[in-house]
Amino acid sequence: MNVLIVGSGGREHALTWKIAQSPLVEQTYCLPGNGGMAQIAQCVDLAGDDLADLADFAQHNNIELTVVGPEAPLVAGIVDLFAQRGLGIYGPSAAAAQLEGSKLFSRELLRKYSIDDIRFEVFTEAAAAKAYARQQGAPIVVKADGLAAGKGVKVAQTVEEAEAHIDLCLEEGGFGSAGQRVVIEECLVGQECSIKVFSDGETVLPMVPSQDYKRIGDGDTGDNTGGMGCYSPVPALDQPTFDYILEQLIKPTIAAMAEEGHPYVGTLYAGCILTDRGPKLLEYNCRFGDPETQVVLPRLDGDLVEILQATIEGRLDEVDIRWKQERCVCVVVASGGYPAEYEVGKPISGLTAAEQLDDVVIFHAGTAQHDGQLVTSGGRVLGVSALGLTFRSARERAYQAVALIDFENKYHRTDIAQRAVEAEENV
Ligand code: GLY
């Protein structure tokens, strides 16, 4: 079959890498793809924001399966459009994707079905929102209701920070219509982790858990980013807690979505926090994670395409999913200056040597081909993933590969998965 992957980041490269290995796949297309995806698939130079253009492309190229990386096309209804045209596509409908597309939808659903007990309120008026924030005190979380390219959520350490984010959303139109409502939530404290599942609307198959690093600096300091590294599994997440999240939070959510008339088909990503009141849901996402996919898919021992097809066809109960016992660590290599200003167009060297290391796979994010030379084209440039029997060996391999790669102003964190190594060795 012909498969199309929509997106251009490290997550989409990891999906393409795994999908292209399937014996079921004849031709893999990526739209628009990146410099790494171009080495294993055919990249298509289409903007991608007009969903009808994507459906036309799929129709004209006999695409039997389209896999969507980012949330925006899912929330905008790409799955509904493809379904209307009889095209096979993996992911939730627009109605189901509201779990990520509207923070309020998600919180209200969890409250209605008594799945979670997080304290929250919703506001459209800045004065009322600020009064509530002042009354609750800091730290407090202020969320733009809609999609805001990862910038809509503020974990405010002071009431002033909360008020500034409320103003940005409600007074200054900082996120357009996505910020016309804000959800203000209690701030939870604990280690974060994420569990993604395949869901066909009824049957839920979990993926292995992972933990990502959101801050730019070592020791979790500095600005938030799209993710500077990741590891899987998560030593802090024991089996009873994993089971609780799956059985008491995720499965009831899938059942609630079916009850609401929006059966959830696709990947559901539960962003969780391990608090002293037990595990809680920080948020749902309607897609694979980035850079989580870069550590989860290398651990999948089997054919991803078979699983995706079974998900779409409502036969996940027939799937026997297997995972490698090995640990996986991904270190993101970024352009210096990211997540603020950075330069692009820097020639990248050392990739061939790095890729030849055992159990290392390199996923491109911000790369492009320019006059036959691979160059940087984004803030997060590469995700260097490595498998190992222990976190120590996986981590060492990942950093060995990172050391072989070079470009002007290269930046990466030096502490990715250090806490996993310590946790594993202290048991
Ligand atoms: N790593 C966070 C996300 O994919 O949303």
Side-chain angles (χ1 to χ4, degrees), residues 11 71 100 194 196 212-214 225-227 229-230 269 283 285 287-293 380:
R11 164 184 52 204
E71 60 279 11
E100 177 167 2
S194 67
K196 286 126 207 119
D212 71 345
Y213 288 80
K214 295 195 169 60
T225 69
C230 204
Y269 166 143
E283 62 180 8
N285 295 316
R287 52 174 171 78
F288 289 91
D290 191 339
E292 288 92 333
T293 310
R380 289 187 299 163

Side-chain angles (χ1 to χ4, degrees), residues 133-324:
R134 274 196 299 277
Q135 180 230 328
Q136 294 293 310
I140 193 158
V141 182
V142 182
K143 295 179 170 178
D145 178 42
L147 292 185
K151 299 193 165 58
V153 176
K154 179 77 187 174
V155 181
Q157 297 304 329
T158 62
V159 169
E160 290 69 31
E161 274 181 21
E163 290 184 337
H165 200 66
I166 290 167
D167 277 339
L168 182 63
C169 294
L170 296 178
E171 294 286 340
E172 295 155 21
F175 304 111
S177 58
Q180 282 173 353
R181 284 194 300 207
V182 296
V183 177
I184 304 186
E185 298 179 1
E186 65 179 299
C187 184
L188 301 167
V189 180
Q191 269 206 54
E192 292 182 26
C193 62
S194 67
I195 297 178
K196 286 126 207 119
V197 299
F198 298 101
S199 163
D200 65 8
E202 214 177 306
T203 302
V204 172
L205 276 189
M207 305 183 209
V208 285
S210 54
Q211 190 166 61
D212 71 345
Y213 288 80
K214 295 195 169 60
R215 301 295 191 99
I216 187 70
D218 283 357
D220 295 326
T221 52
D223 289 342
N224 265 328
T225 69
M228 294 304 294
C230 204
Y231 60 83
S232 172
V234 181
L237 184 65
D238 58 22
Q239 192 62 42
T241 310
F242 181 90
D243 292 344
Y244 178 91
I245 293 171
L246 187 62
E247 299 298 332
Q248 305 299 326
L249 303 179
I250 297 177
K251 286 187 180 176
T253 303
I254 297 292
M257 290 298 283
E259 178 75 23
E260 291 291 303
H262 310 312
Y264 193 95
V265 178
T267 296
L268 182 64
Y269 166 143
C272 301
I273 184 159
L274 309 177
T275 75
D276 50 15
R277 278 159 51 205
K280 301 284 173 195
L281 283 163
L282 285 176
E283 62 180 8
Y284 274 126
N285 295 316
C286 63
R287 52 174 171 78
F288 289 91
D290 191 339
E292 288 92 333
T293 310
Q294 293 89 305
V295 293
V296 169
L297 290 185
R299 297 190 65 211
L300 178 61
D301 192 5
D303 187 340
L304 177 63
V305 175
E306 274 180 18
I307 301 171
L308 301 180
Q309 288 285 79
T311 307
I312 299 172
E313 291 165 12
R315 356 176 235 96
L316 262 185
D317 56 343
E318 296 170 10
V319 171
D320 176 25
I321 197 163
R322 293 179 314 282
W323 299 95
K324 296 178 188 166

Side-chain angles (χ1 to χ4, degrees), residues 413-425:
R413 277 181 68 157
T414 66
D415 62 347
I416 302 299
Q418 182 57 37
R419 78 165 84 94
V421 172
E422 284 160 17
E424 189 172 56
E425 295 182 354

Side-chain angles (χ1 to χ4, degrees), residues 84-105:
Q84 278 161 23
R85 297 227 201 153
L87 294 163
I89 185 163
Y90 175 85
S93 64
Q98 288 180 91
L99 272 179
E100 177 167 2
S102 167
K103 310 294 180 225
L104 182 59
F105 174 88

